[in-house]
Amino acid sequence: MNSSLVGNQSGRPFCLLAISYLETINFCLLEVVIIVFLMVLIISGNIIVIFVFHCAPLLNHHTTSYFIQTMAYADLLVGVSCLVPSLSLLHYPIVLSESLVCQIFGYVVSVLKSVSMASLACISIDRYIAITKPLTYNTLVTPWRLRICILLIWLYSCLVFLPSFHWGKPGYHGDVFQWCASSWNTDPYFTLFIVVMLYAPAAFIVCFTYFNIFRICQQHTKEINERRVRFSSQEGEAGEAHPCPDKRYAMVLFRITSVFYILWLPYIIYFLLESSNVYSNRVASFLTTWLAISNSFCNCVIYSLSNSVFQKGLKRLSGAICASCTRQRVAKDSSTSRSKRSSNGCHV
């Protein structure tokens, strides 16, 4: 099934993007650059997000912060797991067999991205409940229920992809390993199982909830503006349009969700095509996979650019870091000056 992905036997290292192979360095240059670059961005970006959430208590005011932080931790682990294929491409010795390493890596990344996908679906449900049932929201959505929901997300994600060790490849996360590309084939039934149990329900929930959220917000905005127009006409003042108060925050979450599915759509389409023996290409498998993984960094960028409270928290964190650096520099300068004075006193 993956015959096009099999490496040659000429002694050269296995490279999906063989156009970048250089005999002088004896490893896959382009693959290493792409994976290491994404790994650095994902790890640094999500560490910043996690620290900002801990430094800005106002961010924890929204219950969606539980799911945003869950996604940040999952994305951080995606970045850390990228160390495995990068070391493999650099030909570092691996203690375990290549087949087991590639299966574990593919399983772990699939589980982590499933957590992100399920978290986005739960965020959309949370916002839907907040808008449709504002009076009973605090009694329906409680911290302990959110923690149970997050635990179920992790448990469900682990169980959905567990059959991959015997049933078939869960995706293309491990195709930088030659065994994954040549011997670990996809299974159309397992692909259908993943689509039915994960991709389709998550996409349906997101589409349904956000469609209704924006429809309700539009309705509320229209009603509020009509009331203001009537009130202002009685008072003789011009009324101003006021959007739905929940719409701005919903838009931030909608952008995160939209970018997630935009970056994952090529991967899902290629996964379905290859599983059904319609199309198979080693460059497409690599690019669609790592394009999807790049979403782990995009979440940080979108949230930092769209959320004013997050921006304040980021400024607070950077200010604290700068203040700490300044204190260390002042302490170092004072200790240096004291040592100079004491040394001068010895020579008097």
Side-chain angles (χ1 to χ4, degrees):
M1 184 179 294
N2 286 336
S3 58
S4 63
L5 303 180
V6 181
N8 57 37
Q9 307 297 327
S10 61
R12 294 172 53 172
F14 174 72
C15 298
L16 286 171
L17 306 178
I19 53 173
S20 60
Y21 169 70
L22 298 177
E23 294 184 0
T24 53
I25 56 178
N26 196 37
F27 65 80
C28 313
L29 178 62
L30 188 54
E31 284 97 326
V32 171
V33 169
I34 292 173
I35 295 175
V36 171
F37 178 69
L38 284 177
M39 180 179 67
V40 172
L41 287 181
I42 292 169
I43 292 176
S44 58
N46 284 284
I47 286 177
I48 291 172
V49 169
I50 292 167
F51 272 109
V52 168
F53 267 97
H54 286 288
C55 293
L58 286 175
L59 283 170
N60 294 318
H61 175 71
H62 294 283
T63 55
T64 50
S65 65
Y66 285 84
F67 297 111
I68 294 291
Q69 290 182 72
T70 299
M71 290 173 58
Y73 280 109
D75 291 335
L76 175 62
L77 292 174
V78 169
V80 173
S81 67
C82 289
L83 185 64
V84 175
S86 61
L87 291 177
S88 172
L89 290 168
L90 289 170
H91 303 293
Y92 276 78
I94 300 175
V95 178
L96 302 175
S97 65
E98 185 184 28
S99 60
L100 183 60
V101 171
C102 121
Q103 285 181 314
I104 293 174
F105 174 72
Y107 171 77
V108 168
V109 177
S110 297
V111 167
L112 293 174
K113 298 318 295 178
S114 172
V115 169
S116 295
M117 192 175 294
S119 297
L120 289 171
C122 288
I123 287 173
S124 66
I125 293 173
D126 174 81
R127 291 298 87 199
Y128 180 75
I129 296 173
I131 291 178
T132 56
K133 298 182 179 180
L135 299 178
T136 57
Y137 175 78
N138 290 330
T139 57
L140 291 173
V141 182
T142 58
W144 71 269
R145 286 182 179 176
L146 289 171
R147 293 188 185 98
I148 291 175
C149 183
I150 291 170
L151 180 63
L152 291 176
I153 286 173
W154 282 94
L155 182 61
Y156 183 77
S157 300
C158 291
L159 292 176
V160 165
F161 288 97
L162 195 59
S164 64
F165 289 96
H166 300 286
W167 203 345
K169 189 188 298 183
Y172 297 93
H173 310 104
D175 271 357
V176 290
F177 301 97
Q178 186 169 2
W179 185 89
C180 281
S182 59
S183 303
W184 198 21
N185 298 327
T186 54
D187 185 280
Y189 295 105
F190 184 48
T191 302
L192 181 62
F193 173 77
I194 295 174
V195 170
V196 171
M197 299 299 293
L198 180 64
Y199 295 156
F204 173 77
I205 289 171
V206 166
C207 292
F208 174 81
T209 51
Y210 279 113
F211 173 79
N212 284 281
I213 285 171
F214 289 116
R215 182 179 58 82
I216 293 169
C217 281
Q218 191 175 12
Q219 230 172 14
H220 287 179
T221 304
K222 185 178 178 181
E223 291 173 0
I224 292 170
N225 290 338
E226 286 176 354
R227 291 174 186 172
R228 289 187 62 86
V229 167
R230 286 199 300 268
F231 179 77
S232 60
S233 62
Q234 293 174 0
E235 297 292 329
E237 298 177 357
E240 296 180 359
H242 286 266
C244 175
D246 292 314
K247 188 174 182 179
R248 180 177 296 179
Y249 192 64
M251 279 299 299
V252 175
L253 302 173
F254 180 71
R255 289 190 195 107
I256 293 175
T257 306
S258 300
V259 170
F260 180 91
Y261 279 98
I262 288 171
L263 293 178
W264 271 83
L265 188 60
Y267 166 83
I268 294 172
I269 291 174
Y270 180 80
F271 187 31
L272 294 174
L273 291 176
E274 204 282 337
S275 299
S276 56
N277 291 326
V278 174
Y279 177 74
S280 179
N281 181 274
R282 65 182 184 180
V283 176
S285 72
F286 181 86
L287 294 180
T288 55
T289 294
W290 293 96
L291 177 67
I293 289 178
S294 69
N295 174 77
S296 296
F297 172 71
C298 294
N299 291 339
C300 317
V301 176
I302 297 168
Y303 207 75
S304 60
L305 294 177
S306 304
N307 191 293
S308 58
V309 179
F310 185 90
Q311 292 170 3
K312 291 177 183 177
L314 186 60
K315 289 179 182 178
R316 180 180 174 182
L317 176 63
S318 59
I321 293 173
C322 291
S324 176
C325 293
T326 303
R327 285 195 297 269
Q328 289 179 357
R329 191 180 299 111
V330 170
K332 184 178 180 181
D333 292 341
S334 61
S335 63
T336 304
S337 61
R338 283 197 300 269
S339 63
K340 284 183 179 180
R341 284 197 299 268
S342 61
S343 62
N344 290 338
C346 293
H347 290 287
V348 172

